[in-house]
Amino acid sequence: MQENIKRAIESLTARRDQVRDEQASTMAALRSCRFIDLSHIELIDKRYNEKRANIDREIMEMRAHLEEMEAAG
């Protein structure tokens, strides 16, 4: 069970990094477009930040659960 949680944490960490890289490239491309309103760009950036925050929250919850399991033996 603990190994499964560790693998899930690794998977989520990789996903978070992927989202961060996607956000960086997408935002750079959007900012270079003259025809996209800045408010739309900010909204997209906000959504990416929310997605990363949700993944971070899941990782923290899994780590806490893993620590509890390891402490219980």
Side-chain angles (χ1 to χ4, degrees):
M1 181 71 163
Q2 292 175 354
E3 288 302 314
N4 290 340
I5 294 173
K6 289 178 183 179
R7 281 193 297 271
I9 291 171
E10 290 173 7
S11 176
L12 283 171
T13 302
R15 177 67 181 134
R16 181 193 56 206
D17 294 344
Q18 179 184 6
V19 169
R20 183 196 60 225
D21 295 344
E22 180 183 314
Q23 179 182 14
S25 62
T26 300
M27 298 313 298
L30 290 174
R31 287 187 179 105
S32 70
C33 293
R34 296 181 309 171
F35 305 106
I36 298 177
D37 187 63
L38 182 59
S39 63
H40 290 95
I41 293 172
E42 290 172 349
L43 179 62
I44 292 167
D45 194 41
K46 180 181 175 184
R47 294 293 183 246
Y48 271 115
N49 289 335
E50 290 171 354
K51 187 183 236 184
R52 287 178 34 209
N54 288 339
I55 294 171
D56 284 336
R57 194 170 314 123
E58 283 186 65
I59 291 170
M60 288 188 318
E61 290 172 1
M62 284 188 175
R63 283 185 180 150
H65 184 62
L66 181 61
E67 289 174 6
E68 289 173 5
M69 291 179 69
E70 288 173 342

